[in-house]
Amino acid sequence: MNEEKRFEWRAFRRARWGPLRVVVRDGLIEAKVGDAVVELDVTDRRPAAEREANQWRSVFDDGVPVSLNGTRVATVTTKQGSPGGLVRRKRHTITGEAGFVLPGMEYTGRSLPDLVTLRCDAGVLVASRRWASPINVAVTEWSIVREYDLIAPRVTKLARPEHIALWAALKESQRS
């Protein structure tokens, strides 16, 4: 795997749980909050002919491995029968070790506006703020400072730093 950085951004320095750092490499998205480093391996492992025949198939359909501090702890897969599209939320299930994955953990995401929610049976862990998406896009695109995502997501007390990092990695996977 190529370890050269393609893209890096930092945000939420002033959040009570911040800052957040996201690094995107070829096939790997790494997000860090505090001491928790979460990596998503979004490499498409299908043969080239199959990739070309079905270009719109998501890597999440086959399962994306999630690592916490270098140890594989979970897999994110597309929920069967989940709608997809630009404005409809696509649902993904998260399965893995009980220390990382809470019961009923899932992620929903849509592109317009850019909304990502990480939840479990106990409730929402981390969620994008609906009204903040257009502001964050404007700041990212037209700011002289080049801040990324100025307005932090809504984070509940149930969320640990690794959950916030997972949310950020999943959000970046929608952009990539």
Side-chain angles (χ1 to χ4, degrees):
M1 180 180 301
N2 186 0
E3 291 295 321
E4 185 177 324
K5 282 188 225 180
R6 276 191 5 204
F7 184 69
E8 179 177 356
W9 60 273
R10 297 170 197 261
F12 315 130
R13 290 188 305 262
R14 294 179 184 90
R16 67 175 166 76
W17 47 264
L20 166 72
R21 191 187 108 207
V22 176
V23 177
V24 179
R25 295 178 172 93
D26 288 334
L28 185 70
I29 299 171
E30 177 185 294
K32 181 179 180 187
V33 174
D35 293 333
V37 178
V38 171
E39 294 177 343
L40 288 180
D41 184 0
V42 292
T43 306
D44 194 348
R45 292 175 175 77
R46 298 178 297 156
E50 187 178 335
R51 281 195 308 261
E52 191 171 314
N54 193 357
Q55 296 176 15
W56 298 106
R57 182 176 168 89
S58 171
V59 294
F60 288 100
D61 293 344
D62 297 326
V64 171
V66 178
S67 299
L68 174 64
N69 297 329
T71 305
R72 184 171 175 180
V73 292
T75 303
V76 181
T77 54
T78 304
K79 196 170 194 175
Q80 293 294 53
S82 174
L86 290 175
V87 293
R88 298 182 69 185
R89 289 180 182 249
K90 189 151 185 96
R91 297 191 177 282
H92 299 78
T93 57
I94 303 170
T95 55
E97 292 183 14
F100 178 77
V101 178
L102 301 176
M105 192 176 235
E106 71 174 16
Y107 136 73
T108 59
R110 79 175 185 201
S111 298
L112 291 175
D114 187 18
L115 298 174
V116 176
T117 303
L118 185 64
R119 70 181 75 229
C120 66
D121 288 342
V124 172
L125 298 169
V126 186
S128 303
R129 298 175 191 268
R130 179 181 302 272
W131 56 269
S133 183
I135 296 169
N136 284 338
V137 168
V139 167
T140 301
E141 294 300 322
W142 298 303
S143 173
I144 295 171
V145 182
R146 298 301 291 174
E147 263 306 309
Y148 285 88
D149 290 356
L150 182 67
I151 300 170
R154 187 177 65 234
V155 176
T156 64
K157 292 180 182 177
L158 296 171
R160 298 188 304 256
E162 54 265 24
H163 296 140
I164 301 167
L166 176 62
W167 173 87
L170 290 167
K171 182 177 182 185
E172 188 61 39
S173 74
Q174 283 191 178
R175 293 182 195 178
S176 303

